[in-house]
Coordinates of all heavy atoms in Angstrom, one line a residue:
T574 N -70.5 -16.7 -29.9 CA -69.2 -16.6 -30.3 C -68.2 -17.6 -29.5 O -67.1 -17.7 -29.9 CB -68.6 -15.2 -30.2 OG1 -68.6 -14.8 -28.9 CG2 -69.4 -14.2 -31.1
V575 N -68.7 -18.1 -28.5 CA -67.9 -19.0 -27.6 C -68.2 -20.5 -28.0 O -69.4 -20.9 -28.0 CB -68.1 -18.8 -26.1 CG1 -67.3 -19.8 -25.3 CG2 -67.8 -17.4 -25.8
T576 N -67.2 -21.2 -28.4 CA -67.4 -22.6 -28.8 C -67.0 -23.5 -27.6 O -65.8 -23.4 -27.1 CB -66.5 -23.0 -30.0 OG1 -66.8 -22.1 -31.1 CG2 -66.8 -24.4 -30.4
P577 N -67.9 -24.3 -27.0 CA -67.5 -25.1 -25.9 C -66.5 -26.2 -26.3 O -66.5 -26.7 -27.4 CB -68.8 -25.8 -25.5 CG -69.7 -25.7 -26.7 CD -69.3 -24.5 -27.5
I578 N -65.6 -26.5 -25.4 CA -64.6 -27.5 -25.7 C -65.2 -28.9 -25.4 O -65.7 -29.1 -24.3 CB -63.4 -27.3 -24.8 CG1 -62.7 -25.9 -25.1 CG2 -62.4 -28.4 -25.0 CD1 -61.6 -25.5 -24.2
P579 N -65.2 -29.8 -26.4 CA -65.8 -31.1 -26.1 C -65.1 -31.8 -25.0 O -63.9 -31.6 -24.8 CB -65.6 -31.9 -27.4 CG -65.4 -30.8 -28.5 CD -64.7 -29.6 -27.7
F580 N -65.8 -32.7 -24.3 CA -65.3 -33.4 -23.1 C -63.9 -34.1 -23.5 O -63.0 -34.0 -22.7 CB -66.3 -34.5 -22.7 CG -65.7 -35.5 -21.8 CD1 -65.5 -35.2 -20.4 CD2 -65.3 -36.7 -22.2 CE1 -64.9 -36.1 -19.6 CE2 -64.8 -37.7 -21.4 CZ -64.6 -37.4 -20.1
Y581 N -63.9 -34.8 -24.6 CA -62.7 -35.6 -24.9 C -61.5 -34.7 -25.2 O -60.3 -35.2 -25.0 CB -62.9 -36.5 -26.1 CG -63.1 -35.8 -27.4 CD1 -62.0 -35.7 -28.3 CD2 -64.3 -35.3 -27.8 CE1 -62.1 -35.0 -29.5 CE2 -64.4 -34.7 -29.1 CZ -63.3 -34.5 -29.9 OH -63.4 -33.9 -31.1
E582 N -61.7 -33.5 -25.6 CA -60.5 -32.6 -25.8 C -60.0 -32.0 -24.5 O -58.9 -31.5 -24.4 CB -60.8 -31.5 -26.8 CG -61.0 -32.0 -28.2 CD -61.2 -30.9 -29.2 OE1 -61.1 -29.7 -28.8 OE2 -61.4 -31.3 -30.4
Q583 N -60.8 -32.1 -23.4 CA -60.4 -31.7 -22.1 C -59.4 -32.6 -21.5 O -58.6 -32.3 -20.6 CB -61.6 -31.5 -21.2 CG -62.5 -30.4 -21.6 CD -63.8 -30.4 -20.8 OE1 -63.8 -30.9 -19.7 NE2 -64.8 -29.8 -21.3
L584 N -59.4 -33.9 -21.9 CA -58.5 -34.9 -21.4 C -57.5 -35.3 -22.6 O -57.9 -36.1 -23.4 CB -59.3 -36.1 -20.9 CG -60.2 -35.8 -19.7 CD1 -61.0 -37.1 -19.4 CD2 -59.4 -35.4 -18.5
P585 N -56.3 -34.8 -22.6 CA -55.4 -35.2 -23.7 C -55.2 -36.7 -23.8 O -55.0 -37.2 -24.9 CB -54.1 -34.5 -23.3 CG -54.5 -33.4 -22.3 CD -55.7 -33.9 -21.6
L586 N -55.3 -37.4 -22.7 CA -55.1 -38.8 -22.7 C -56.2 -39.5 -23.6 O -55.9 -40.6 -24.2 CB -55.2 -39.5 -21.3 CG -53.9 -39.4 -20.6 CD1 -54.0 -40.0 -19.1 CD2 -52.7 -40.1 -21.3
V587 N -57.4 -39.0 -23.7 CA -58.4 -39.6 -24.6 C -57.9 -39.6 -26.0 O -58.0 -40.6 -26.7 CB -59.7 -38.8 -24.4 CG1 -60.7 -39.3 -25.5 CG2 -60.3 -39.0 -23.0
K588 N -57.3 -38.5 -26.5 CA -56.8 -38.5 -27.9 C -55.7 -39.5 -28.0 O -55.6 -40.2 -29.1 CB -56.3 -37.1 -28.2 CG -57.3 -36.1 -28.4 CD -56.6 -34.8 -28.8 CE -57.7 -33.7 -29.2 NZ -57.0 -32.5 -29.6
E589 N -54.9 -39.7 -27.0 CA -53.8 -40.7 -27.1 C -54.4 -42.1 -27.1 O -53.8 -42.9 -27.8 CB -52.9 -40.5 -25.9 CG -52.1 -39.2 -26.0 CD -51.1 -39.0 -24.8 OE1 -50.5 -40.0 -24.4 OE2 -51.0 -37.9 -24.3
V590 N -55.4 -42.4 -26.3 CA -56.0 -43.7 -26.3 C -56.5 -44.0 -27.7 O -56.3 -45.1 -28.3 CB -57.1 -43.9 -25.3 CG1 -57.9 -45.2 -25.4 CG2 -56.5 -43.8 -23.9
I591 N -57.2 -43.1 -28.3 CA -57.8 -43.3 -29.6 C -56.7 -43.4 -30.7 O -56.8 -44.3 -31.5 CB -58.8 -42.1 -30.0 CG1 -60.0 -42.2 -29.1 CG2 -59.2 -42.1 -31.5 CD1 -60.9 -40.9 -29.2
S592 N -55.7 -42.6 -30.6 CA -54.6 -42.8 -31.5 C -53.9 -44.1 -31.4 O -53.6 -44.8 -32.4 CB -53.6 -41.6 -31.2 OG -52.5 -41.8 -32.1
F593 N -53.7 -44.6 -30.1 CA -53.1 -45.9 -29.9 C -54.0 -47.0 -30.4 O -53.5 -48.0 -31.1 CB -53.0 -46.1 -28.4 CG -52.3 -47.4 -28.0 CD1 -51.0 -47.6 -28.2 CD2 -53.0 -48.4 -27.4 CE1 -50.3 -48.8 -27.8 CE2 -52.4 -49.6 -27.0 CZ -51.1 -49.8 -27.2
A594 N -55.3 -46.9 -30.3 CA -56.3 -47.9 -30.8 C -56.1 -48.0 -32.3 O -56.1 -49.0 -32.9 CB -57.7 -47.5 -30.4
K595 N -56.0 -46.8 -33.0 CA -55.9 -46.7 -34.5 C -54.7 -47.4 -35.0 O -54.7 -48.0 -36.1 CB -55.9 -45.3 -34.9 CG -57.3 -44.6 -34.8 CD -57.2 -43.1 -35.2 CE -58.5 -42.4 -35.0 NZ -58.4 -41.0 -35.3
E596 N -53.6 -47.4 -34.2 CA -52.4 -48.1 -34.5 C -52.6 -49.6 -34.7 O -51.8 -50.3 -35.3 CB -51.3 -47.9 -33.5 CG -50.8 -46.5 -33.4 CD -49.8 -46.3 -32.3 OE1 -49.2 -47.3 -31.8 OE2 -49.6 -45.1 -31.9
H597 N -53.7 -50.2 -34.2 CA -53.9 -51.6 -34.2 C -55.0 -52.0 -35.2 O -55.5 -53.1 -35.2 CB -54.2 -52.1 -32.8 CG -53.1 -51.9 -31.9 ND1 -52.9 -50.7 -31.2 CD2 -52.0 -52.6 -31.6 CE1 -51.8 -50.7 -30.5 NE2 -51.2 -51.9 -30.7
L598 N -55.4 -51.1 -36.1 CA -56.3 -51.4 -37.1 C -55.9 -52.6 -37.9 O -54.6 -52.8 -38.2 CB -56.5 -50.2 -38.1 CG -57.5 -49.2 -37.7 CD1 -57.4 -47.9 -38.6 CD2 -58.9 -49.7 -37.7
Y599 N -56.8 -53.5 -38.3 CA -56.5 -54.7 -39.1 C -55.8 -55.8 -38.3 O -55.5 -56.8 -38.9 CB -55.8 -54.4 -40.4 CG -56.4 -53.2 -41.1 CD1 -55.7 -52.0 -41.2 CD2 -57.7 -53.2 -41.6 CE1 -56.2 -50.9 -41.9 CE2 -58.3 -52.1 -42.2 CZ -57.5 -51.0 -42.3 OH -58.1 -49.9 -43.0
T600 N -55.6 -55.6 -37.0 CA -55.1 -56.8 -36.2 C -56.2 -57.8 -36.2 O -57.4 -57.5 -36.0 CB -54.8 -56.3 -34.8 OG1 -53.8 -55.3 -34.8 CG2 -54.3 -57.5 -33.9
R601 N -55.9 -59.1 -36.3 CA -56.9 -60.1 -36.5 C -57.7 -60.3 -35.2 O -57.3 -60.0 -34.1 CB -56.2 -61.4 -36.9 CG -55.5 -62.1 -35.9 CD -54.8 -63.4 -36.4 NE -54.3 -64.2 -35.4 CZ -54.9 -65.3 -34.9 NH1 -56.0 -65.7 -35.4 NH2 -54.3 -66.0 -33.9
Y602 N -58.9 -60.9 -35.4 CA -59.7 -61.2 -34.3 C -59.3 -62.6 -33.8 O -58.9 -63.5 -34.5 CB -61.2 -61.4 -34.7 CG -62.1 -61.8 -33.6 CD1 -62.7 -60.9 -32.8 CD2 -62.4 -63.2 -33.4 CE1 -63.5 -61.3 -31.7 CE2 -63.2 -63.6 -32.3 CZ -63.7 -62.6 -31.5 OH -64.5 -63.0 -30.4
R603 N -59.3 -62.7 -32.5 CA -58.9 -63.9 -31.8 C -59.7 -64.1 -30.5 O -59.7 -63.2 -29.7 CB -57.4 -63.9 -31.5 CG -56.9 -65.2 -30.9 CD -55.4 -65.1 -30.7 NE -54.9 -66.2 -29.8 CZ -53.8 -66.2 -29.2 NH1 -52.9 -65.1 -29.4 NH2 -53.4 -67.2 -28.5
S604 N -60.5 -65.1 -30.5 CA -61.4 -65.3 -29.3 C -60.5 -65.4 -28.0 O -59.5 -66.1 -28.0 CB -62.1 -66.7 -29.5 OG -63.0 -66.9 -28.4
G605 N -60.9 -64.6 -27.1 CA -60.1 -64.5 -25.8 C -58.8 -63.7 -26.0 O -58.0 -63.6 -25.0
G606 N -58.5 -63.2 -27.2 CA -57.3 -62.5 -27.4 C -57.1 -61.1 -26.7 O -58.1 -60.4 -26.6

């Protein structure tokens, strides 16, 4: 009955990093960018 909390949910900043990364979807590729 106990569901373990995944590692990434233990660190709220991880969710924020992923959310921030998603904000940049479709940004173009640039070598060295």
Side-chain angles (χ1 to χ4, degrees):
T574 60
V575 177
T576 304
I578 298 172
F580 165 78
Y581 70 95
E582 288 185 8
Q583 295 173 21
L584 296 173
L586 277 177
V587 171
K588 285 183 175 181
E589 292 180 41
V590 171
I591 292 170
S592 179
F593 182 73
K595 290 176 183 179
E596 291 174 19
H597 297 89
L598 274 170
Y599 313 113
T600 301
R601 75 183 189 99
Y602 179 86
R603 183 173 167 199
S604 182

